[in-house]
Amino acid sequence: MCGTEELETKTRFAFNSPFWRKELEHILDNRKIQLLYQPIVNIQNGEIVGYEALSRGPEDSPLHSPSQLFDAAIENRMLFALEQVCREEALNNISNLKPGQQLFLNMNPQVVNDPHFQNGKTKDHIFRRGFKPEQVTFEITERTAITDFESFQRSLYHYREQGYTIAVDDAGAGYSSLQAIAELKPEYIKLDMSIIRGIHRNLPKQAIVESMVKLAIAVNSKIIAEGVETPEELTVVHKLGVHYVQGYFLARPAFPAPQIYPEAQRLINNLLIRDTIFKDSQGLGIKIEEIAESFPTVEKELPVCEVSEILEQIKLSGIVVVENDRPIGLVMKDHLYYKLGTRYGVSLYSNKPIAMVMDDNPLVVNSDLPLEEASQIAMCRSEENLYDLIIVAENDRYVGVVSVMNLLNNVTKIQISYAHNSNPLTGLQGNLVIEAKLKRMLENNQAFAVLYIDLDNFKAFNDKYGFERGDKAILLTSRVLSDCLIKMGCSNDFLGHIGGDDFILITKIECAKIMCEHIIEVFERKIRSLYELEDLNREYVEVTNRRGLIEQFPIMSISLAVVISIPDKFKNYLEIGEKAAELKKIAKQSIGSSVVFDRRND
């Protein structure tokens, strides 16, 4: 449930009179449900992952308010009938649900007590509309508490078996959301808007969200932050690692299902570009698949005694249990030996299938996960499982395993290497990373533009004003370039510091021209702040050369050489550097700031 109107003060009525029952029956018989849809957005890529369907009574009805509509249904024992109509109308009225997107449908825990709950009508209706159960998520709303989790789980079982997913709504508020998360292990955890509201000004709220993100990792769930209404709130929840967002800043509930507002889309794109700059500076280019080891696996029916022999023979610390090449469990040697070492352990387990004793909720990560992110996730596990193997999968298929020791050793090496290669002044990556980036893009046969950037008359400025102000000029340049990348670049763009006043920026070919124009305009305006008024008025500085003669040098300008790389144009990154050197000579011949473009088909 999402939106400011949900914070309204709820007036309680006695809905068990004939008037309210008749009004409710009229709404249900005529299916007079007003549907609105609100997008749920993946904050990691800006894509809509699904929509929550929000049900209202007809506008001319005293039961238009959703709270009064559902309260009336509860008091008149018509809750299941109302929710069934709401589900069907939600499916009937959404026309733009893509194959990979979810439809989130609210479900009150009380409906599981209705005798019609398991009759399969929802599934039939889903198929008639051309959707699949895997596209439907039931949000367990907490208008009332779940009093018997064991019974409730049994009632939900047939839904999960058919492919539906579960979300716990209003987490952090209401009755027993933390217990619901622990007991139900939902695929999604929706944080209540009361936690998100004003989170950029509230450190305790930020700590709560950070803890919920770690909890989600532990139960293999995704966090959805509800009620995101400002750019500041979106920025903070993104920083805290929230997966998905929903709220008025992204889009208000509407019919038909709306797209994301352009302002929100731009902010998400900017946040992703900032992430890219940060990740490049932290060495996150190495993926976990690169250090995964492809150890043998076992099927779930294999007896425990045979698995024990395999572990002993090939000296493994653990082994992955698979079904149709899909990892479904993990057996660590020490955990298995502990079970077998208990009283009657051998007789109890030895001839039983390994599925009986395996960990059926191991840590499985995607093969393209960066090492540092993998290490953060792995170290959030419980102490009991902290050193269990990490299973690596691609498209849900087993790839290999990584030990925590191997993971941490590689992360440490990367951090040391990148720390040595970072420019101490700007914090940007230097030549080793720049070379690796260019090599990788050439190997992938990508088309891209490389902007080589340096300053004109920087040495004269440095001689006149000293190294400290010279460093300020370098920092100013790096900020101009970073800001340009954030405003106009793409998520895979890269900014590096070659050394001194030389920088490199890699972007898409179609972005290069407008970025160059922006860099020149902003640099020429901002660099003047570093000059004394006297020098600004005469538009030059006077510097004594080595022969003791006074020379005049214009205000600093910026030169850009743009090399266009298309598939098969360059054999290696050195050829790109050679082409850039040619273009920079041409650019330096111009007075003032200039840009020289490589011809694409040279």
Side-chain angles (χ1 to χ4, degrees), residues 341-404:
T342 58
R343 191 176 186 184
Y344 309 121
V346 172
S347 57
L348 279 174
Y349 299 116
S350 190
N351 294 312
K352 294 292 181 11
I354 194 64
M356 177 174 285
V357 299
M358 71 180 184
D359 175 4
D360 60 2
N361 190 32
L363 176 58
V364 182
V365 300
N366 206 44
S367 58
D368 62 355
L369 189 70
L371 288 191
E372 289 197 357
E373 289 187 29
S375 69
Q376 290 170 5
I377 293 171
M379 300 316 289
C380 286
R381 293 182 292 181
S382 66
E383 188 173 342
E384 179 185 1
N385 302 107
L386 191 59
Y387 293 99
D388 287 2
L389 293 173
I390 301 158
I391 302 173
V392 182
E394 182 176 5
N395 297 324
D396 210 26
R397 299 291 177 181
Y398 172 77
V399 171
V401 294
V402 174
S403 70
V404 171

Side-chain angles (χ1 to χ4, degrees), residues 318-341:
I319 198 162
V320 177
V321 182
V322 298
E323 183 177 34
N324 298 323
D325 206 29
R326 182 174 63 88
I328 61 169
L330 176 68
V331 180
M332 294 300 294
K333 182 189 286 187
D334 55 345
H335 295 173
L336 178 61
Y337 285 3
Y338 176 79
K339 280 185 180 294
L340 294 176

Side-chain angles (χ1 to χ4, degrees), residues 257-445:
Q259 295 300 306
I260 310 170
Y261 294 152
E263 181 186 359
Q265 188 72 66
R266 282 194 298 271
L267 177 56
I268 291 174
N269 290 342
N270 290 344
L271 292 172
L272 295 179
I273 293 168
R274 285 191 181 105
D275 283 351
T276 300
I277 295 172
F278 173 76
K279 286 179 181 179
D280 278 326
S281 71
Q282 292 298 310
L284 294 180
I286 298 179
K287 300 171 183 177
I288 194 166
E289 65 180 343
E290 297 179 40
I291 65 167
E293 299 176 88
S294 185
F295 289 158
T297 60
V298 296
E299 297 290 331
K300 64 178 182 178
E301 297 85 6
L302 198 66
V304 169
C305 59
E306 294 188 29
V307 174
S308 178
E309 289 178 8
I310 293 172
L311 287 170
E312 193 59 41
Q313 287 172 2
I314 47 185
K315 304 296 181 185
L316 296 177
S317 62
I319 198 162
V320 177
V321 182
V322 298
E323 183 177 34
N324 298 323
D325 206 29
R326 182 174 63 88
I328 61 169
L330 176 68
V331 180
M332 294 300 294
K333 182 189 286 187
D334 55 345
H335 295 173
L336 178 61
Y337 285 3
Y338 176 79
K339 280 185 180 294
L340 294 176
T342 58
R343 191 176 186 184
Y344 309 121
V346 172
S347 57
L348 279 174
Y349 299 116
S350 190
N351 294 312
K352 294 292 181 11
I354 194 64
M356 177 174 285
V357 299
M358 71 180 184
D359 175 4
D360 60 2
N361 190 32
L363 176 58
V364 182
V365 300
N366 206 44
S367 58
D368 62 355
L369 189 70
L371 288 191
E372 289 197 357
E373 289 187 29
S375 69
Q376 290 170 5
I377 293 171
M379 300 316 289
C380 286
R381 293 182 292 181
S382 66
E383 188 173 342
E384 179 185 1
N385 302 107
L386 191 59
Y387 293 99
D388 287 2
L389 293 173
I390 301 158
I391 302 173
V392 182
E394 182 176 5
N395 297 324
D396 210 26
R397 299 291 177 181
Y398 172 77
V399 171
V401 294
V402 174
S403 70
V404 171
M405 185 67 71
N406 187 21
L407 175 64
L408 295 180
N409 282 341
N410 277 276
V411 169
T412 301
K413 289 177 184 177
I414 291 169
Q415 289 175 336
I416 293 171
S417 172
Y418 279 74
H420 286 164
N421 193 53
S422 296
N423 186 280
L425 178 61
T426 62
L428 297 174
Q429 289 302 312
N431 292 322
L432 288 177
V433 179
I434 294 169
E435 291 171 10
K437 178 77 174 178
L438 290 171
K439 284 179 182 177
R440 192 159 55 243
M441 297 186 80
L442 288 173
E443 287 169 0
N444 294 334
N445 225 18

Side-chain angles (χ1 to χ4, degrees), residues 102-117:
Q102 298 286 114
L103 182 62
F104 287 72
L105 302 173
N106 288 294
M107 184 177 78
N108 190 302
Q110 291 190 31
V111 302
V112 300
N113 299 317
D114 192 289
H116 300 99
F117 176 66

Side-chain angles (χ1 to χ4, degrees), residues 144-257:
T144 56
I146 301 171
T147 55
D148 185 349
F149 278 102
E150 186 175 345
S151 173
F152 189 72
Q153 283 180 303
R154 285 198 301 269
S155 299
L156 285 182
Y157 177 76
H158 84 288
Y159 272 88
R160 289 187 123 149
E161 282 291 291
Q162 295 172 66
Y164 300 107
T165 50
I166 303 298
V168 168
D169 197 13
D170 305 327
Y175 294 92
S176 53
S177 56
L178 290 178
Q179 186 181 359
I181 292 166
E183 298 283 352
L184 303 180
K185 294 185 175 67
E187 284 75 16
Y188 303 96
I189 301 170
K190 300 192 76 175
L191 299 182
D192 188 74
M193 66 178 66
S194 63
I195 297 175
I196 305 304
R197 193 63 36 80
I199 190 171
H200 55 292
R201 299 187 300 266
N202 192 308
L203 291 177
K205 286 185 177 182
Q206 293 178 29
I208 291 171
V209 171
E210 195 170 14
S211 298
M212 293 299 289
V213 169
K214 291 180 180 179
L215 173 61
I217 291 170
V219 298
N220 200 26
S221 296
K222 299 290 186 184
I223 292 287
I224 303 174
E226 294 188 292
V228 176
E229 298 196 349
T230 68
E232 292 82 9
E233 291 169 355
L234 180 63
T235 301
V236 169
V237 297
H238 171 81
K239 179 183 176 183
L240 294 173
V242 166
H243 307 97
Y244 305 138
V245 287
Q246 178 182 1
Y248 281 4
F249 180 67
L250 287 304
R252 285 176 174 263
F255 181 85

Side-chain angles (χ1 to χ4, degrees), residues 516-561:
C516 289
E517 293 171 351
H518 179 83
I519 290 167
I520 289 173
E521 187 274 323
V522 176
F523 177 84
E524 288 191 335
R525 174 164 40 87
K526 290 193 172 185
I527 196 63
R528 299 178 71 85
S529 66
L530 298 182
Y531 282 83
E532 299 294 342
L533 184 59
E534 179 185 2
D535 293 330
L536 285 177
N537 289 337
R538 61 191 183 190
E539 293 291 328
Y540 63 82
V541 296
E542 292 184 337
V543 178
T544 304
N545 64 23
R546 292 178 180 175
R547 292 174 295 174
L549 301 176
I550 295 177
E551 288 188 78
Q552 296 176 352
F553 293 88
I555 302 297
M556 254 191 293
S557 54
I558 191 166
S559 293
L560 299 99

